[in-house]
Structures are given as C-alpha cells and as structure tokens.
Amino acid sequence: MKDIQHAQEMIDTIHEAIEKNNRFGEEFIEKIQERLEGQRRSSEEHIENLQKQIQAETKSAEEQIERLHRAKEEHERNIDERIQSLHEDTDEISRTIEVQVEGIQNHLERVRESAEKHVERAHEVMEQNAEIAEEQIEKIREQMQEFIENAEEELESLNEQIEQQRDVIEIRSEHINVKTETQVDQQSTYDIVQLLMANYDSDYDRRHAGITINRSYSVNGVEKLKYSGKLVPLYEVDEIYPRDEWLQTLIDRGMTIQNLDEYCHCLNARDYLMRVKDKPEVWKSGILDIPPTDNWDIYQESYINSLVEPK
C-alpha cells in the first residue's frame, strides 16, 4: 500500500515537473517569438531605410548624370566652336603664308637678277684686275731681284765683318788664357780651398743630411766589411778630419775639384775612415787594394793616396 502511495506521489511529482517544463517551454517560446518579432520589425525598418537611401542615391545619381549630360553637350558645343575657329584661323594663316611665299619668290627673283648682274660685273673687274696683277707681279719681280742683289752685297760685307771679329776674339782668347794661367800659378792652394768651401759648403751640408748608403767590401769572395744607413754626422767627421785640412791635403797631392759632385765625393771619403779607425782587422784585410798593415797612420796615408791616384 505504501509502495502504491509512493508511486502515486512520484507520478504527481512527475506531472508537476512536466507542467512546470511545459510552462517554461511556453514562456521560452513566447520570448523567442517576441525576439523574432522585434528582429523582424528591426529588419523591416532597416530595409525601409535602405530603400529610402537607395532611392535618394538613385535620385542623386540621376541628377548627376543629368548634369554630366548637360556638361558633355556644353563641352561638345565648345569644341565645335573652337574647331570652327581653328578652321577660320587656319584659312587666314594659309592666306597669309601664300602672300608671304609669293613675296619671298618675288624677292628671290630680284636677288637672282641682281646677283647675275654682280657676277657679270665681277668678271669684268677680275679681267681688269688680272691685267693690273700681272703688272704688279712684274714690278715685284724686279724689286725682288734688286733686293737679292743688295742682300748679296750686305751678306758679303757681313762675312768680312764676322771674319774680322773672329780674329779679334782669337786674340782676346789667347790673352785671357795667358792671364788665367798666370793667376792660377800665383794663387796658393790655401786660396783654392777657401774658394771651394765658399762655393760649395752650404750645398754639401744639405746633400750630406739626405744621403743613405749601403756598402759591402769583399776580398776573394769573402766579405770583410759591411755597413749601411746615414753617413756619420758631420760634426763628428769635421772634428776628426776638418774639411779645410782634408781638402788641403788632397789638393797638395794633386787632386783637382771642378764641381759640387767632386767636392762632395772628396769630403764624403772621410766617412770610410771614421768607420774603420777602430777596426784593425780591416786595415789588414786588403780591401780597396790598400796594402795590409797594423799601423793606423800608414793605413790612412795609403787610403788618401788611393783617392788621389785611384787604381
């Protein structure tokens, strides 16, 4: 009995739930219908607005098309008018050109006639000038012949003067040579040294500073001495071998110095002695064909003699 009652209660509960779901479903359906109705009305309003907008735009487009048609017609009328005007201008220009061409042709005809007259006159003048030119050429030939004869006489006179001047120059040259030889004989070697130093010292100092050397000396294929680089500084060389005394020694032994190159060569020869003065093995080596010795003074003398009388 209790089970039947319980089942009845469950059935009632289920019926209530079904009714509740039905009510909920009806309410949900009603809400959906209301929403659909709202969307339908909104769509209809939107469609109506679009139709109005389309109508307005269509009307505006039709008005714009109408304006374009009117503008096109106006433009075509303007073009037709301009074409007509151009035709008229072209006709006027053509007539003007024809008139100008006719005038130019007439002018050319007059110029041609005038040119023919000038040519004819020029031929006449040329014939007259040819006769005059022949006369002038004949006169010029006579003048040239006279000039040649005079020139030959003047040339002969000049040759005589040149010969006389040559004799005078030879006499003067002989006199100058005699005078120079006398002056050289009278001039002391000291004066020569001073003159050389006055003429070349400044240039020698400048050259010395820029010289770079690379020397190697061998005897029978065996290297005995080698050095390179700048020359020994002048203040050191001049202290050991004063340039005036060095030059005096060379000149006294018969060396002649005639230019800056020879002057520099003579003074730069001191550089070698500066490098070997403390190297007895070099004195004994026989380089530069200097006889071997262990005496420095003898080696110096032999080196100086080799400068004056190179082998």
Side-chain angles (χ1 to χ4, degrees), residues 143-159:
Q143 292 174 357
M144 287 180 62
Q145 185 63 32
E146 184 179 356
F147 175 78
I148 291 171
E149 293 175 356
N150 293 335
E152 289 177 350
E153 293 177 359
E154 292 181 4
L155 181 60
E156 185 177 354
S157 175
L158 286 173
N159 286 332

Side-chain angles (χ1 to χ4, degrees), residues 197 200-211 231 234-235 238 243 260 263-264 267-268 270:
M197 293 177 65
Y200 299 133
D201 255 4
S202 298
D203 292 332
Y204 169 68
D205 290 344
R206 284 193 293 271
R207 278 197 183 187
H208 186 278
I211 293 176
L231 295 174
L234 273 179
Y235 70 89
D238 287 338
R243 65 182 71 180
L260 176 61
Y263 184 82
C264 293
L267 289 181
N268 287 342
R270 300 175 297 170

Side-chain angles (χ1 to χ4, degrees), residues 35-52:
R35 184 180 298 174
L36 289 173
E37 182 65 22
Q39 289 179 352
R40 185 184 63 77
R41 288 194 299 271
S42 176
S43 297
E44 289 177 352
E45 291 176 358
H46 183 64
I47 290 170
E48 185 178 358
N49 291 332
L50 287 174
Q51 288 175 344
K52 291 179 180 179

Side-chain angles (χ1 to χ4, degrees), residues 157-308:
S157 175
L158 286 173
N159 286 332
E160 293 176 357
Q161 294 177 14
I162 290 170
E163 191 65 29
Q164 293 174 359
Q165 290 293 329
R166 185 178 297 161
D167 294 339
V168 172
I169 290 171
E170 288 179 356
I171 294 171
R172 289 181 178 177
S173 297
E174 292 176 358
H175 177 70
I176 290 171
N177 289 334
V178 171
K179 184 177 180 181
T180 301
E181 291 174 0
T182 303
Q183 289 176 345
V184 170
D185 291 339
Q186 292 175 350
Q187 189 176 26
S188 67
T189 55
Y190 174 81
D191 293 333
I192 294 174
V193 169
Q194 297 304 313
L195 181 62
L196 289 171
M197 293 177 65
N199 287 338
Y200 299 133
D201 255 4
S202 298
D203 292 332
Y204 169 68
D205 290 344
R206 284 193 293 271
R207 278 197 183 187
H208 186 278
I211 293 176
T212 301
I213 58 174
N214 186 5
R215 300 281 190 268
S216 177
Y217 302 94
S218 301
V219 177
N220 297 326
V222 179
E223 187 176 73
K224 299 295 183 178
L225 177 65
K226 182 178 181 180
Y227 55 88
S228 61
K230 294 286 188 180
L231 295 174
V232 177
L234 273 179
Y235 70 89
E236 295 182 16
V237 181
D238 287 338
E239 182 179 356
I240 304 300
Y241 300 103
R243 65 182 71 180
D244 56 343
E245 295 178 6
W246 180 264
L247 292 169
Q248 186 79 46
T249 299
L250 294 177
I251 291 173
D252 286 344
R253 298 189 186 193
M255 178 172 281
T256 58
I257 301 174
Q258 298 179 347
N259 52 52
L260 176 61
D261 290 337
E262 293 179 354
Y263 184 82
C264 293
H265 174 73
C266 290
L267 289 181
N268 287 342
R270 300 175 297 170
D271 185 82
Y272 174 81
L273 292 179
M274 292 293 294
R275 295 179 186 272
V276 303
K277 60 186 177 66
D278 296 323
K279 296 180 179 179
E281 68 276 10
V282 175
W283 315 343
K284 302 174 185 179
S285 65
I287 63 175
L288 297 178
D289 292 331
I290 297 175
T293 180
D294 56 2
N295 186 298
W296 172 240
D297 292 332
I298 294 175
Y299 189 80
Q300 283 188 107
E301 286 297 313
S302 298
Y303 175 72
I304 293 171
N305 289 334
S306 71
L307 296 175
V308 177

